[in-house]
Amino acid sequence: DAGVIQSPRHEVTEMGQEVTLRCKPISGHDYLFWYRQTMMRGLELLIYFNNNVPIDDSGMPEDRFSAKMPNASFSTLKIQPSEPRDSAVYFCASSFRWDRDVFSSYNSPLHFGNGTRLTVT
Amino acid sequence: SQKIEQNSEALNIQEGKTATLTCNYTNYSPAYLQWYRQDPGRGPVFLLLIRENEKEKRKERLKVTFDTTLKQSLFHITASQPADSATYLCALAFTGRRALTFGSGTRLQVQP
C-alpha cells in the first residue's frame, strides 16, 4: 500500500491567492482527517469526514477554508483568499473505524501523509 | 477546554539508556491514548495505543503507562538508540469524538 498521498509537497503563494491541497487516503479507510501543524499551536484538527460526509468542521479557522470529499479516494482543502498566517504544514490522515485486531469503535490509529508545507508571502 | 501537556524542552540521553516521556492532560479522561513518532519533514507514525482501563502496554522496546488518577501517560524507550531520535506526540481520544487531540510533542535526542 502506498499510504496516504498528499500533493503538492510544497506550495508557495502570494497573499490573496487561492490554494488547493489534495489528499488520497488509504484504500478502504472510511475516515479522513485534515490537520494543520505550526510551531506555536502544534497539530490542530481542521475537519474530518466519515464515508465522505463532513462530521466535524469546528476546527476550520474561518470561511476562507473549505474542504470536500467527492469520493472515497480523494479530498481537497481549499483556502481562498490565502493569508500569511495560513503558513503551516497541512496533514491529511485516514483510518478505519474498526481496528482489525480488537473490536472497538475508538481505537483505530491514524495513518498520516507527509504533509504539504504552505508558505503564503 | 481540554489541555494536553508534553515537555517542550528536548530530552537528551545517552545511547543504551531508557528514555521517559510524559504526557499530562486536564479535565476529562480520554477513552484511549495513542503515541506517535514524527521525523522532520514527515507525518506522524503510530506507535502504541492504551485504553482507559489498561495500566500498561508493551511493544518490543516501547512501554506505555496510563494513570487516570494522575491524568498522565508515560512513554518509555528502553535500550535507546540514535535511530530513536525524533519528536514523540501523545494523542487523546474522548468518548463520542472520533478525532484525536494531539499534544505539542517532545523531541528526543539519543547521543551515541
Side-chain angles (χ1 to χ4, degrees):
Chain A
D1 197 328
V4 175
I5 299 173
Q6 291 187 248
S7 65
R9 284 284 276 143
H10 302 274
E11 178 79 47
V12 180
T13 190
E14 291 183 349
M15 184 172 65
Q17 296 298 307
E18 178 179 296
V19 174
T20 299
L21 311 181
R22 296 172 176 79
C23 174
K24 177 178 168 53
I26 292 173
S27 177
H29 281 187
D30 50 6
Y31 279 83
L32 183 139
F33 305 81
W34 282 100
Y35 282 87
R36 176 171 71 175
Q37 187 173 40
T38 61
M39 289 292 292
M40 290 296 294
R41 300 173 69 90
L43 258 176
E44 301 175 283
L45 176 71
L46 299 176
I47 185 172
Y48 75 93
F49 296 82
N50 176 217
N51 292 323
N52 314 337
V53 176
I55 303 300
D56 184 350
D57 65 354
S58 60
M60 296 286 260
E62 48 200 271
D63 292 346
R64 298 184 298 107
F65 285 67
S66 62
K68 293 182 179 180
M69 192 165 185
N71 57 62
S73 59
F74 184 65
S75 177
T76 59
L77 178 68
K78 186 177 292 186
I79 309 173
Q80 165 64 19
S82 58
E83 297 181 3
R85 60 188 166 131
D86 301 330
S87 297
V89 181
Y90 290 80
F91 287 103
C92 174
S94 68
S95 77
F96 288 114
R97 174 176 174 82
W98 300 96
D99 183 89
R100 293 298 172 86
D101 294 326
V102 181
F103 287 99
S104 166
S105 61
Y106 297 109
N107 69 351
S108 298
L110 301 191
H111 299 259
F112 283 83
N114 283 326
T116 294
R117 181 174 293 278
L118 173 65
T119 303
V120 184
T121 60
Chain B
S1 63
Q2 195 74 12
K3 275 191 176 180
I4 303 169
E5 294 176 352
Q6 292 187 259
N7 195 341
S8 58
E9 290 184 16
L11 177 63
N12 291 289
I13 64 168
Q14 286 296 123
E15 182 175 6
K17 301 292 186 184
T18 296
T20 299
L21 306 174
T22 304
C23 176
N24 295 300
Y25 61 91
T26 61
N27 300 337
Y28 306 109
S29 281
Y32 65 96
L33 188 150
Q34 299 182 359
W35 283 88
Y36 287 76
R37 168 184 173 141
Q38 186 174 24
D39 292 286
R42 309 296 294 268
V45 175
F46 171 76
L47 296 175
L48 275 174
L49 175 151
I50 187 165
R51 293 189 190 82
E52 59 182 333
N53 60 350
E54 298 176 320
K55 296 292 185 189
E56 182 180 297
K57 187 72 73 73
R58 291 175 185 262
K59 179 182 176 183
E60 298 172 353
R61 294 185 297 114
L62 308 180
K63 184 177 85 171
V64 174
T65 62
F66 192 8
D67 189 325
T68 55
T69 301
L70 293 178
K71 297 191 176 182
Q72 181 181 81
S73 175
L74 299 179
F75 177 78
H76 307 271
I77 305 175
T78 58
S80 60
Q81 305 164 0
D84 295 327
S85 298
T87 296
Y88 291 85
L89 303 160
C90 70
L92 278 59
F94 298 94
T95 303
R97 190 162 190 259
R98 179 64 186 87
L100 292 175
T101 302
F102 283 83
S104 55
T106 298
R107 191 162 64 87
L108 172 67
Q109 188 71 37
V110 181
Q111 306 291 344

